[in-house]
Amino acid sequence: MSTLQIGLVLPDVLGTYGDDGNALVLRQRARMRGFDANIVRIHLGDPIPTSLDVYCLGGGEDTAQILAAEHINTDGGLHKAAAAGRPILAICAGLQVLGESFRADNRMVTGAGLIDATTGSLKKRFIGELQSTPHPNDGGITAGLTEPLTGFGNHFGSSILGSDAKPLGIVTHGVGNSDTEQPTYEGAVQGSIICTYMHGPVLARNPQLADLLLAWALDMPMSELQPLDLPVVDKLRRERLQR
Ligand code: GLN
């Protein structure tokens, strides 16, 4: 196959929380299996290419994420990629920006409308470890996830999902999408888009999620990806899940 193209969308405004690492993890896990892979960094003001193999969006501060939403909506490239079924991973502010609307800087802002979610505010900012078990999401892109998900949360947004979006996980520790609703859901999945509040970066902590995205980007079943023996990743995961 030709070189795998991994889009890192707006790292200049959605790059506060180390989530650029998700693109690095995808590139490394591809290269370790013998695939050529490149990261395409798309900055504020750049057109968003429509035909990359996978897209990553990170978290960001309130003012910065407003700029991100405006650019994504004006440009339209990410909408075309989503309509074509390209896999997209969005973290925290990325989740909020891809939703219908979100609260930031004390006002409601129009999101990209790619995820059926509306983001208001938590009762209290959540900062800490976050864990979930994958939601079954029958027939959805994340249906193959079996391993617990782990990440680090730091958010004030509270995202309520509409019927078109399914949760990524059910919270077992920490605060996910909301601190009032029961059960407490974490993240959102809709079509080819996977969103989560988990930083870490999430793909470093959750190799199964990384491989799910990678397999989709490479257009092959996850079961055909050569297994990787990475004791350091297993150790990190064990440590984080033990707490
Ligand atoms: N600014 C948003 C919030 O506080 C997103 C933060 C983030 O991306 N970590 O909810």
Side-chain angles (χ1 to χ4, degrees), residues 34-122:
F35 297 101
D36 282 337
N38 267 342
I39 296 175
V40 181
R41 294 173 72 88
I42 305 144
H43 294 103
L44 202 63
D46 292 344
I48 301 174
T50 56
S51 57
L52 302 179
D53 297 302
V54 54
Y55 296 77
C56 297
L57 290 80
E61 309 294 334
D62 283 16
T63 311
Q65 74 184 73
I66 295 173
L67 295 175
E70 286 169 356
H71 179 60
I72 288 168
N73 282 335
T74 311
D75 175 75
L78 198 65
H79 292 78
K80 290 192 181 122
R86 308 273 168 177
I88 298 172
L89 174 72
I91 314 297
C92 200
L95 181 167
Q96 299 173 8
V97 163
L98 295 193
E100 298 294 335
S101 60
F102 60 90
R103 188 165 184 82
D105 280 355
N106 291 320
R107 64 181 171 100
M108 288 308 285
V109 179
T110 304
L114 293 171
I115 292 283
D116 190 5
T118 305
T119 298
S121 303
L122 293 174

